[in-house]
C-alpha cells in the first residue's frame, strides 16, 4: 500500500518536473470592442505586496494604505490627469495678490459616509491634528509653515503664510478627516485606523488582516457614483504569486516586473485577456557620492565616474529597456524637467583623461590608478532587498574597473544601512533612489541646511547658488519663473555631479481587458478610476 | 510525581526571565530603531518628530528601564502595543495569526508522521532493497528541493494550468456566502498545497530517524529472543521492535511543539498565508520590539512546556526511565 502511494507520488513529481518544459495553456476570454456601454457593477480585484498599516491617512506612510485611503478620503485639491491642481472638496480657491493667503471655497452638500455633513470645521480639525505635537505624523512640515488658519463660515477655509510658499497649494491635497468621529480621542487609539470613514468614492466595508481589504461604491459620491461596485485589495506579498493569480483570473490588476513585462506576457493568449501599460514612474535611482570624503571633493573625479558609467547598458541589463536615463532629479516628461543640461554619455577615454587631470595615474602597472601611493578605490553600499540596485552596482563595478577604479560593493540590511552608514556619514558612495511627485521643491534633499544627522542631504552637498535657487523656488508661484529657477538648479547639479543620476524606471501596470474607460495620461492610469467600468455582458462577479 | 512537576514548573520561571533578558538585549543591539524606519528618508519628517516619537515609545530611556517596564507589563500578561504604524496591541496581532499557523503546522506534522514512520519501518526491515533506495532518493529530493521552487511549480501546474487547486490565500473570495460545510471544504482545498509543500521537506529527517532507530532496535538481544521463541516476523517487528523504536520520537515531538507557532516566511509569502512567520519577519525588519518580544516569549514558553511534556510522556511510556 505504502509502496504504491510512494510510487504515485514519484510519478507526480516527475510529471511536474517534465511539464516545466511545456507551453502554457491559457484560457480564452472573448474580446469585446469599443462600442461597449458603461454599466454599474462588478468587482475589481487588485493585489498589494504589503498589508496596509493604518487606514488613517495622517498616520500611514506606506503605499498600500495610501492607495486605499485614496479611494475612501478626499483632499481639498488634487492633481488631475495632466498633473495640474484641481479642486476636489474645494470647489475653487483664491490666492491673495501677495501670495500669502489662500482662501478655499468648499463644496456644499458633501456628506461623510455615515451621513454627517462635511464642513470647514472638518478641514480646520484636520489641520490642527496635523500640527498637534502629540500626533505621530510624518507629514506635519508643510502645515507648520501656516501662520494662521481660519474658517469664517461653514464653507470657507482660509490659511495665511509668513512667507510665500509655493508648495502650499499642493499640500492641501492631504486627506480631510471627520471631526465628529475623531474629536476628543487620541488619534493613535481611534477605531478609524481599522475602519475608515471618509467622503470619497468608495465606502470601506471590511478588512481581514493579512488577507484583504474591501471597499464598495459610494452611491452618493459628489462626483457621481463609481461604476465598479466593489474593489478588493488582496494582500499577496510575492510578485510571482501575484502573476500566477493574475493569469488564473483571480486578479484584475498588478504591477509587473520588467522581466514579467518583457518575457512572460508577450503571448497572444495573454494579450487577449489583459492590457499592459507603461509610463515613467515618479522616481529615480542614483549613485550618490559622500562629498565629505577627500576623493569625491574633486569634481573631476565625480564627472569621470559619470563618464565611465554606461547608463544605457544598465537600463538594458537591469530594466530590460523599460526606463530612461536620468539627467537630474526630475522626471523627463514634466514641465520642470530641463533637457538642456550637461550629459555624460559613456566615454571611458574621457573618464581616464579627467582622472589623469585630477592626478590619478597607474604608476605601478597593476591596472588600478593611484596617487601619492594610494590606489583609487572605494566602496559602494546599497540596501538589501532591492535586486535592481544590486545589479546596477555590479554593472558599474565592472565599468569602473575598466578605467582603473577599484570598487567594492556591499549590500546591507535596511535598518543597519540607514543607522550605521547613511546617517553616520560612514560611506563612500551609495546606490539609492528618490520618489517624487508633481511638486518640484527639492529643498530638503539639496539645501546645505539639511546636512544634519538623519537629514536628507546626507552626501553633504553645499552650493551657495543652489541654496539661493531652492529658497527662491519655494517662494515663487508663477510657473514660468519657477521653471527658470529650477532649470538653473538642474544645470548646476548636472555640472557638479554630486550624484550620478542613473535611471528613471517605468511603471508597468496590467489590467484585465474587461475593464473599460482607462485613459493613460501623464499622471498614470488610475486618475479616473471611478469612471472605469465593465460592460454588462462582460461582468464577472454577480454580487 | 506531583512534587517533580511543581519543581520543574518553578524552575521554568527564572529560565524564562533569563531568556527574555537575553532576547531583549540582543534585539536592541541590532542597529536601527523603529522610529528610524518610520521617518527615515521621508522628506516631510523632521528630526524633531523623530525625537518625539522616541519619547512616545520610551526609547529615550536607558535599556534597563525599558526592560523593567516591559517585564512589569508582562507580569500583567500585557505584551504592550506594537511600534508599527497601526499601534495595535501585540496580543491582538498575534492572536489573529496564530490559528492558521497552528493548523498548517499541525496538519503538516501529522502528514509527516503518517508518511515518514511507515517509510522508516519498511526501509529498515527491507534494508538495501529497491524500496529502501527509492524512498531514500524520494525523501532526499524533498529535503534538497527549495520549498519556494516546489511551491511555485505546484501553483503553476496544479493551480493555473490544471485548475485543481486554488493558487494562494486561505479562503476564496466569496467565502462568506458559502454554507458551513462548503467553507470547511474551501479551507481544506486551500490548505492542500501549503501543507504538502511544508511536509515534503520534513519527510527526510523523520523517516531517516525512524529507519536508524528501527535498525538499532532490531539488533537488540530481546528481538533475537523473540525470534528464537518462534514468533512470526510480523509480531516481532510490530509488537516488540516498533514500540521501542518509537520512544525517541516522543522527544522529537516535544521539541517540535514550539515549531507549531513558528512559520517559514518564504513559504507564507509565496502562498499569501497570513501566518506567524511573516508577522515575525516584518516585526524584525521594522524593529517592532514589543512584537518581537511577544513572539519570542510565546516561543520560549512553548519550548519549555514542550520539553516538560516530552519528559513526562517519556516517563509514562518507558518504565526504565520512571524507575531510575
Amino acid at each position: 500500500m505504502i509502496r504504491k502511494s510512494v510510487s504515485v507520488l514519484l510519478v507526480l513529481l516527475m510529471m511536474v518536473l517534465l511539464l516545466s518544459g511545456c507551453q502554457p495553456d491559457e484560457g480564452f476570454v472573448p474580446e469585446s470592442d469599443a462600442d461597449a456601454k458603461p454599466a454599474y457593477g462588478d468587482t475589481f480585484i487588485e493585489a498589494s505586496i504589503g498589508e496596509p498599516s493604518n487606514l488613517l491617512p495622517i498616520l500611514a506612510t506606506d503605499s498600500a494604505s495610501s492607495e486605499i485611503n485614496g479611494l475612501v478620503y478626499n483632499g481639498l485639491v488634487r492633481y488631475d490627469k495632466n498633473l495640474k491642481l484641481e479642486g476636489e472638496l474645494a470647489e475653487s480657491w483664491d490666492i491673495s495678490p501677495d501670495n500669502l493667503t489662500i482662501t478655499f471655497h468648499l463644496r456644499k452638500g458633501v456628506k461623510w459616509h455615515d451621513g454627517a455633513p462635511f464642513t470647514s470645521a472638518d478641514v480646520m480639525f484636520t489641520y490642527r491634528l496635523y500640527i498637534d505635537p502629540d500626533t505621530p505624523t510624518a507629514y506635519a512640515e508643510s502645515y507648520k509653515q501656516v501662520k494662521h488658519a481660519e474658517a469664517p463660515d461653514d464653507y470657507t477655509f482660509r490659511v495665511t503664510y509668513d512667507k510665500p510658499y509655493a508648495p502650499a497649494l499642493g499640500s492641501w491635497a492631504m486627506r480631510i478627516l471627520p471631526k465628529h468621529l475623531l474629536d476628543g480621542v487620541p488619534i493613535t487609539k481611534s477605531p478609524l485606523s481599522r475602519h475608515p470613514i471618509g467622503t470619497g468614492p468608495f465606502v470601506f466595508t471590511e478588512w481581514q488582516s493579512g488577507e484583504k481589504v474591501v471597499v464598495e461604491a459610494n452611491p452618493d459620491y459628489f462626483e457621481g457614483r463609481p461604476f465598479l461596485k466593489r474593489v478588493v485589495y488582496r494582500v499577496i506579498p510575492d510578485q510571482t504569486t501575484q502573476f500566477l493569480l493574475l493569469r488564473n483570473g483571480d486578479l484584475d490588476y498588478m504591477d509587473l516586473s520588467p522581466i514579467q513585462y518583457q518575457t512572460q506576457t508577450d503571448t497572444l493568449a495573454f494579450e487577449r485577456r489583459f492590457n499592459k501599460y507603461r509610463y515613467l514612474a515618479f522616481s529615480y535611482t542614483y549613485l550618490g557620492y559622500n562629498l565629505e570624503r577627500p576623493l569625491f571633493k574633486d569634481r573631476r573625479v565625480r564627472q569621470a565616474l559619470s563618464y565611465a558609467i554606461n547608463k544605457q547598458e544598465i537600463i538594458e541589463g537591469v530594466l530590460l529597456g523599460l526606463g530612461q536615463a536620468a539627467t537630474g532629479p526630475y522626471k523627463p516628461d514634466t514641465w520642470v524637467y530641463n533637457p538642456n543640461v550637461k550629459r555624460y554619455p559613456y566615454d571611458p577615454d574621457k573618464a581616464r583623461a579627467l582622472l589623469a587631470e585630477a592626478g590619478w595615474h597607474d604608476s605601478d602597472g597593476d591596472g588600478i590608478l593611484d596617487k601619492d601611493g594610494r590606489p583609487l578605490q572605494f566602496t559602494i553600499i546599497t540596501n538589501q532587498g532591492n535586486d535592481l540596485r544590486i545589479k546596477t552596482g555590479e554593472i558599474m563595478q565592472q565599468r569602473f574597473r575598466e578605467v582603473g577604479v577599484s570598487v567594492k560593493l556591499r549590500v546591507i540590511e535596511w535598518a543597519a544601512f540607514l543607522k550605521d552608514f547613511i546617517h553616520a556619514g560612514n560611506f563612500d558612495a551609495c546606490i539609492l533612489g528618490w520618489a517624487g511627485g508633481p511638486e518640484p521643491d527639492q529643498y530638503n534633499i539639496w539645501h546645505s541646511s539639511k546636512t544634519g544627522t538623519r537629514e536628507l542631504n546626507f552626501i553633504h552637498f553645499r552650493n551657495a547658488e543652489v541654496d539661493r535657487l531652492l529658497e527662491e523656488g519655494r517662494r515663487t508661484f508663477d510657473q514660468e519663473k519657477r521653471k527658470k529657477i529650477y532649470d538653473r538648479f538642474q544645470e548646476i547639479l548636472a555640472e557638479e555631479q554630486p550624484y550620478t543620476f542613473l535611471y528613471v524606471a517605468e511603471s508597468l501596470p496590467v489590467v484585465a481587458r474587461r475593464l473599460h474607460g482607462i485613459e493613460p495620461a501623464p499622471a498614470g492610469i488610475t486618475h479616473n478610476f471611478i469612471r472605469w467600468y465593465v460592460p454588462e455582458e462582460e461582468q464577472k462577479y454577480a454580487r | 510525581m506531583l512534587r517533580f512537576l511543581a519543581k520543574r514548573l518553578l524552575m521554568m520561571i527564572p529560565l524564562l526571565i533569563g531568556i527574555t533578558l537575553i532576547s531583549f538585549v540582543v534585539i536592541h543591539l541590532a542597529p536601527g530603531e523603529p522610529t528610524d524606519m518610520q521617518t527615515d528618508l521621508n522628506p516631510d519628517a523632521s528630526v524633531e518628530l523623530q525625537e518625539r516619537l522616541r519619547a512616545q515609545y520610551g526609547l529615550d530611556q536607558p535599556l534597563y528601564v525599558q526592560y523593567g517596564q516591559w517585564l512589569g507589563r508582562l507580569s500583567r500578561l500585557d505584551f504592550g502595543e506594537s511600534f508599527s504604524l497601526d499601534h495595535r496591541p501585540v496580543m491582538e496581532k498575534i492572536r489573529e495569526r496564530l490559528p492558521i499557523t497552528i493548523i498548517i503546522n499541525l496538519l503538516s506534522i501529522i502528514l509527516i508522521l503518517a508518511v515518514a514512520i511507515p517509510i522508516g519501518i519498511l526501509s529498515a526491515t527491507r534494508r538495501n532493497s529497491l524500496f529502501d533506495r527509492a524512498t531514500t532518493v524520494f525523501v532526499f529530493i524533498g529535503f534538497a528541493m527549495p520549498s519556494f521552487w516546489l511551491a511555485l511549480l505546484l501553483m503553476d501546474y496544479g493551480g493555473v494550468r490544471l485548475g485543481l487547486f486554488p493558487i494562494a490565500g486561505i479562503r476564496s473570495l466569496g467565502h462568506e456566502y458559502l454554507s458551513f460545510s462548503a467553507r470547511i471544504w474551501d479551507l481544506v482545498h486551500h490548505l492542500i498545497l501549503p501543507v504538502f509543500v511544508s511536509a515534503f521537506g520534513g519527510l527526510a529527517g523523520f523517516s531517516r530517524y525512524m529507519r536508524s532507530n528501527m535498525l538499532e532496535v532490531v539488533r537488540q538481544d530481546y528481538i533475537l529472543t523473540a525470534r528464537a521463541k518462534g514468533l512470526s516476523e510480523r509480531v516481532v517487528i510490530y509488537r516488540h521492535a516498533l514500540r521501542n523504536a518509537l520512544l525517541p520520537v516522543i522527544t522529537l515531538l516535544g521539541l517540535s511543539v514550539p515549531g507549531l507557532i513558528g512559520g517559514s516566511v518564504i513559504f507564507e509569502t509565496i502562498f499569501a498565508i497570513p501566518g506567524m512567520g511573516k508577522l515575525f519577519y516584518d516585526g524584525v525588519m521594522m524593529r517592532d520590539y514589543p512584537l518581537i518580544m511577544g513572539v519570542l516569549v510565546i516561543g520560549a514558553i512553548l519550548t519549555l512546556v514542550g520539553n516538560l511534556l516530552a519528559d513526562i510522556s517519556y516517563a509514562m511510556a518507558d518504565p526504565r526511565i520512571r524507575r531510575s
Side-chain angles (χ1 to χ4, degrees):
Chain A
M1 175 62 209
I2 284 160
R3 186 186 293 220
K4 206 172 188 178
S5 67
V6 165
S7 50
V8 167
L9 270 173
L10 267 175
V11 168
L12 262 176
L13 187 75
M14 301 269 270
M15 270 169 57
V16 167
L17 293 173
L18 288 173
L19 275 169
S20 35
C22 298
Q23 278 301 306
D25 168 35
E26 302 278 0
F28 174 72
V29 175
E31 187 181 351
S32 84
D33 267 303
D35 56 356
K37 253 190 19 239
Y40 292 103
D42 213 355
T43 297
F44 180 73
I45 308 169
E46 297 189 38
S48 161
I49 291 273
E51 158 122 64
S53 63
N54 192 320
L55 294 182
L56 272 171
I58 188 168
L59 299 179
T61 48
D62 56 307
S63 61
S65 308
S66 128
E67 242 182 88
I68 296 163
N69 286 331
L71 297 181
V72 176
Y73 289 98
N74 291 118
L76 291 183
V77 298
R78 69 169 166 224
Y79 287 99
D80 69 1
K81 61 179 181 178
N82 295 315
L83 300 173
K84 295 242 169 9
L85 283 167
E86 65 175 8
E88 196 167 55
L89 282 173
E91 229 159 22
S92 62
W93 61 86
D94 313 309
I95 299 175
S96 65
D98 58 3
N99 287 336
L100 288 177
T101 304
I102 309 176
T103 309
F104 293 99
H105 304 288
L106 307 184
R107 220 177 254 270
K108 297 190 175 85
V110 176
K111 285 200 164 32
W112 293 99
H113 293 158
D114 64 355
F118 158 79
T119 66
S120 59
D122 294 310
V123 185
M124 193 61 165
F125 172 77
T126 307
Y127 159 70
R128 291 212 174 115
L129 199 58
Y130 269 88
I131 56 166
D132 182 344
D134 288 332
T135 306
T137 180
Y139 302 112
E141 279 312 288
S142 301
Y143 310 105
K144 285 191 184 149
Q145 313 277 342
V146 175
K147 187 175 79 179
H148 179 65
E150 58 179 338
D153 63 59
D154 272 359
Y155 297 100
T156 311
F157 179 70
R158 185 175 296 133
V159 279
T160 309
Y161 291 81
D162 262 337
K163 289 185 237 163
Y165 182 57
L169 194 53
S171 76
W172 293 98
M174 75 169 177
R175 279 134 198 178
I176 304 300
L177 302 170
K179 178 183 184 199
H180 65 287
L181 296 171
L182 291 167
D183 212 2
V185 197
I187 188 75
T188 54
K189 300 266 183 271
S190 168
L192 263 66
S193 66
R194 300 284 294 172
H195 191 293
I197 293 171
T199 50
F202 288 87
V203 180
F204 173 86
T205 33
E206 72 169 319
W207 178 357
Q208 281 176 358
S209 284
E211 282 185 62
K212 62 176 180 182
V213 177
V214 183
V215 295
E216 281 179 8
N218 174 4
D220 306 320
Y221 185 53
F222 57 82
E223 289 178 309
R225 171 182 161 193
F227 285 119
L228 292 169
K229 182 174 174 233
R230 185 183 290 124
V231 180
V232 179
Y233 283 84
R234 292 184 65 179
V235 181
I236 311 289
D238 183 72
Q239 215 178 8
T240 313
T241 307
Q242 286 191 3
F243 187 61
L244 290 170
L245 287 167
L246 182 86
R247 270 175 43 202
N248 204 32
D250 295 337
L251 288 182
D252 298 318
Y253 178 101
M254 74 174 279
D255 285 308
L256 296 174
S257 68
I259 189 138
Q260 287 168 343
Y261 188 95
Q262 290 292 44
T263 66
Q264 294 168 12
T265 57
D266 53 352
T267 60
L268 212 62
F270 188 88
E271 276 161 12
R272 261 203 295 264
R273 296 169 58 207
F274 297 98
N275 286 317
K276 294 196 280 182
Y277 300 89
R278 53 185 279 199
Y279 46 86
L280 288 177
F282 262 114
S283 65
Y284 66 91
T285 299
Y286 61 86
L287 174 67
Y289 307 107
N290 184 353
L291 302 177
E292 297 285 282
R293 293 282 149 103
L295 171 64
F296 297 121
K297 281 203 193 306
D298 191 331
R299 185 172 76 193
R300 289 168 299 190
V301 173
R302 305 194 301 264
Q303 288 178 336
L305 293 176
S306 292
Y307 278 119
I309 296 170
N310 188 345
K311 291 184 192 173
Q312 210 48 47
E313 168 188 66
I314 294 175
I315 292 167
E316 293 299 327
V318 174
L319 301 176
L320 305 178
L322 298 166
Q324 273 188 35
T327 58
Y330 300 119
K331 187 167 98 123
D333 54 6
T334 51
W335 61 267
V336 69
Y337 178 74
N338 180 1
N340 307 312
V341 297
K342 182 166 180 181
R343 285 172 190 255
Y344 295 83
Y346 173 58
D347 190 344
D349 294 328
K350 206 155 183 175
R352 277 186 210 104
L354 275 165
L355 287 171
E357 210 184 300
W360 295 94
H361 301 280
D362 186 12
S363 53
D364 51 8
D366 63 351
I368 304 296
L369 303 179
D370 50 74
K371 180 163 130 183
D372 310 328
R374 274 182 298 111
L376 179 44
Q377 61 182 25
F378 63 94
T379 305
I380 298 178
I381 58 170
T382 192
N383 62 298
Q384 196 187 59
N386 192 324
D387 272 350
L388 301 186
R389 288 180 191 164
I390 299 169
K391 283 184 202 152
T392 303
E394 285 164 356
I395 293 173
M396 291 193 299
Q397 190 176 29
Q398 169 117 16
R399 289 294 173 199
F400 285 153
R401 187 71 184 69
E402 281 170 14
V403 295
V405 180
S406 156
V407 167
K408 283 197 204 102
L409 187 65
R410 228 181 126 183
V411 181
I412 304 154
E413 186 257 350
W414 183 241
F417 176 76
L418 290 177
K419 175 105 178 170
D420 290 352
F421 295 87
I422 294 296
H423 293 310
N426 177 25
F427 67 99
D428 299 329
C430 62
I431 305 174
L432 271 175
W434 287 120
E439 169 55 47
D441 183 27
Q442 294 266 320
Y443 189 89
N444 287 320
I445 298 176
W446 298 102
H447 197 273
S448 61
S449 68
K450 293 289 176 184
T451 50
T453 323
R454 293 206 241 175
E455 289 190 308
L456 301 185
N457 188 353
F458 46 76
I459 60 160
H460 294 268
F461 178 70
R462 289 192 184 83
N463 182 303
E465 192 183 353
V466 164
D467 282 1
R468 200 171 43 71
L469 289 168
L470 287 170
E471 285 156 29
E472 221 178 298
R474 280 190 140 186
R475 308 273 167 250
T476 310
F477 275 66
D478 184 85
Q479 190 167 325
E480 260 170 55
K481 282 185 200 151
R482 272 195 112 183
K483 173 139 180 66
K484 285 207 185 87
I485 295 167
Y486 287 116
D487 275 355
R488 178 71 194 129
F489 166 60
Q490 290 168 75
E491 280 169 23
I492 300 172
L493 288 187
E495 181 64 33
E496 291 290 327
Q497 292 290 300
Y499 292 171
T500 295
F501 297 93
L502 296 170
Y503 55 78
V504 184
E506 281 177 319
S507 291
L508 306 167
V510 54
V511 190
R513 196 155 258 231
R514 68 175 205 283
L515 271 300
H516 293 246
I518 302 172
E519 282 175 46
I525 57 169
T526 52
H527 59 89
N528 69 337
F529 185 64
I530 64 167
R531 303 283 87 181
W532 289 16
Y533 65 91
V534 182
E536 217 160 322
E537 62 277 12
E538 289 180 54
Q539 292 194 359
K540 196 168 159 187
Y541 301 94
R543 50 187 178 196
Chain B
M1 186 69 187
L2 230 59
R3 255 192 68 203
F4 165 77
L5 257 183
K7 216 171 102 190
R8 284 290 303 264
L9 281 173
L10 274 180
M11 265 166 60
M12 275 166 62
I13 293 172
L15 206 54
L16 194 62
I17 292 178
I19 293 174
T20 60
L21 180 63
I22 294 173
S23 324
F24 198 85
V25 171
V26 168
I27 61 170
H28 280 80
L29 278 181
E33 282 189 342
T35 51
D36 291 348
M37 308 306 294
Q38 285 169 30
T39 54
D40 262 341
L41 299 193
N42 176 353
D44 291 319
S46 63
V47 175
E48 177 207 351
L49 166 77
Q50 296 175 5
E51 290 309 319
R52 221 168 45 226
L53 276 177
R54 293 194 73 214
Q56 273 184 12
Y57 290 146
L59 293 170
D60 50 351
Q61 311 271 352
L63 202 56
Y64 63 88
V65 176
Q66 290 183 44
Y67 179 69
Q69 285 169 346
W70 179 83
L71 208 58
R73 275 202 306 271
L74 185 70
S75 64
R76 296 190 299 274
L77 292 180
D78 177 9
F79 283 138
E81 234 173 56
S82 163
F83 282 175
S84 71
L85 291 167
D86 58 12
H87 306 280
R88 294 168 71 209
V90 167
M91 206 54 154
E92 199 180 308
K93 293 182 88 161
I94 293 179
R95 207 186 301 132
E96 254 170 26
R97 305 255 177 161
L98 214 45
I100 188 68
T101 313
I102 292 180
I103 288 176
I104 289 181
N105 286 323
L106 211 56
L107 288 177
S108 143
I109 286 194
I110 293 173
L111 185 63
I112 290 177
L113 289 180
V115 178
I117 291 181
I119 287 184
I121 298 170
L122 289 178
S123 2
T125 50
R126 292 157 213 213
R127 201 174 165 195
N128 295 331
S129 66
L130 181 66
F131 174 85
D132 185 20
R133 288 190 200 138
T135 51
T136 303
V137 170
F138 174 72
V139 298
F140 276 99
I141 286 178
F143 185 65
M145 190 181 285
S147 64
F148 76 91
W149 184 70
L150 177 66
L152 285 175
L153 280 185
L154 288 173
M155 283 155 77
D156 196 359
Y157 291 101
V160 179
R161 296 180 193 204
L162 299 175
L164 295 177
F165 303 105
I167 295 167
I170 51 171
R171 276 183 275 220
S172 305
L173 202 59
H175 187 81
E176 49 275 20
Y177 301 113
L178 299 173
S179 67
F180 180 73
S181 55
R183 272 192 229 183
I184 299 290
W185 165 241
D186 188 49
L187 183 68
V188 170
H189 200 193
H190 277 83
L191 288 181
I192 292 175
L193 286 187
V195 168
F196 173 75
V197 171
S198 80
F200 194 39
L203 282 182
F206 250 107
S207 62
R208 295 265 98 189
Y209 192 68
M210 195 63 217
R211 181 176 179 272
S212 66
N213 273 343
M214 199 70 188
L215 286 175
E216 186 71 25
V217 170
V218 172
R219 276 203 297 272
Q220 299 294 323
D221 290 344
Y222 56 84
I223 296 294
L224 194 66
T225 313
R227 286 207 175 113
K229 279 199 300 189
L231 292 179
S232 72
E233 188 62 17
R234 219 186 134 74
V235 176
V236 170
I237 295 294
Y238 291 99
R239 180 157 314 152
H240 296 272
L242 179 59
R243 282 189 182 181
N244 284 296
L246 273 176
L247 279 177
V249 173
I250 293 174
T251 318
L252 270 194
L253 278 180
L255 288 178
S256 50
V257 167
L260 284 180
I261 67 147
S264 144
V265 55
I266 297 176
F267 165 84
E268 283 172 12
T269 303
I270 287 196
F271 281 112
I273 292 169
M276 293 290 289
K278 185 92 170 72
L279 182 74
F280 187 64
Y281 177 82
D282 290 346
V284 171
M285 284 313 184
M286 294 297 289
R287 305 290 190 266
D288 186 349
Y289 300 143
L291 180 77
I292 302 174
M293 285 309 292
V295 177
L296 287 178
V297 166
I298 295 180
I301 293 177
L302 286 183
T303 311
L304 296 175
V305 170
N307 281 342
L308 183 64
L309 283 181
D311 287 356
I312 295 172
S313 38
Y314 217 101
M316 292 208 290
D318 190 345
R320 286 171 299 185
I321 294 201
R322 214 159 40 217
R323 272 172 217 140
S324 63

